[in-house]
Amino acid sequence: MFRLIFIFFMTLTLVFAENNESKKDILYTNLVGMAVITAWGVANWDYGKSKPYADNEEWFGRKTESGGADKFGHFYASYIVGSGLSGLYESWGYREKDAALYGSLSSFFLLNYMEIGDAFSEFGFSYEDFLMNTLGSLSSYFFYTYPELSKRIDLRIEYVPSFDTTDIVTEYEKMKFLVAFKAEGFDFITNPYLQYTELHMGYYTRNYSGGYSQES
């Protein structure tokens, strides 16, 4: 399995390196991202301390590690990285759709590089996380290339850090994952006051420290 994933990532790297100079900036961006992820993983997630293995983490059950909050964490992280890199690539002169494509591919590559790093730690490679990374990366492409969609819907995170940990990216206890439907994006809503209205739907869990929790 890991050999096939490695081959895929090498192919993706060749795509970024295609046409020599034209995509080297994207390739270097991904290499820098890999270096940051590696350093962070070694410092905070014990990368390299275990032999590679895959783990079945399941989804949103009460007996899962974070009640499923970690799965939305992967989705939103890949969406944010993809959207941010798409904007960066467009600022470098890439056409909107090309920037969105390379941004989503970069997000898919980097977030799943992180997942492979997990395989060499106590966490293990998670197929569920891999899938959520993929969905988040795809979402970044569609929201970036379809303005009417992003005008009506926002994907958001509410996060109030506890300031007692350096690993802020996995502090799911303090996060809420939201979908906001914005009235201003719908043409039939013409009232200027109603246009400020939003409907929020979200997911979060509390009182999880790994494994079974009495509350969720």
Side-chain angles (χ1 to χ4, degrees), residues 26-86:
I26 298 179
L27 176 60
Y28 292 151
T29 300
N30 281 267
L31 291 175
V32 169
M34 289 173 62
V36 171
I37 290 169
T38 301
W40 187 270
V42 170
N44 293 283
W45 300 327
D46 294 328
Y47 279 8
K49 294 293 182 67
S50 304
K51 292 182 178 180
Y53 75 100
D55 189 23
N56 178 15
E57 294 184 349
E58 300 184 358
W59 292 98
F60 303 99
R62 294 188 64 192
K63 295 185 179 181
T64 57
E65 182 74 15
S66 301
D70 58 315
K71 301 297 169 277
F72 279 113
H74 279 268
F75 176 90
Y76 276 74
S78 55
Y79 167 76
I80 290 170
V81 170
S83 300
L85 290 177
S86 296

Side-chain angles (χ1 to χ4, degrees), residues 80-94 96 99-100 103 144:
I80 290 170
V81 170
S83 300
L85 290 177
S86 296
L88 176 64
Y89 297 159
E90 188 174 9
S91 74
W92 288 348
Y94 288 90
E96 181 184 58
Y144 200 87

Side-chain angles (χ1 to χ4, degrees), residues 1 10 19 22 39 60 67 75 81 143 199 214:
M1 177 195 69
M10 288 300 296
N19 297 333
S22 64
F60 303 99
F75 176 90
V81 170
F143 275 85
L199 173 63
Q214 294 297 323

Side-chain angles (χ1 to χ4, degrees), residues 131-148:
L131 177 59
M132 295 303 278
N133 290 339
T134 302
L135 292 175
S137 300
L138 286 171
S139 296
S140 74
Y141 176 82
F142 286 108
F143 275 85
Y144 200 87
T145 54
Y146 292 95
E148 288 302 313

Side-chain angles (χ1 to χ4, degrees), residues 40 43-44 159 162-171:
W40 187 270
N44 293 283
Y159 173 46
S162 61
F163 301 105
D164 60 0
T165 178
T166 58
D167 188 15
I168 59 174
V169 297
T170 60
E171 198 178 18

Side-chain angles (χ1 to χ4, degrees), residues 1 16 27 29 52 82 98 100 108-109 116 174 187:
M1 177 195 69
F16 287 144
L27 176 60
T29 300
D98 288 340
F108 175 80
F109 173 73
I116 289 179
K174 300 295 182 178
D187 294 336

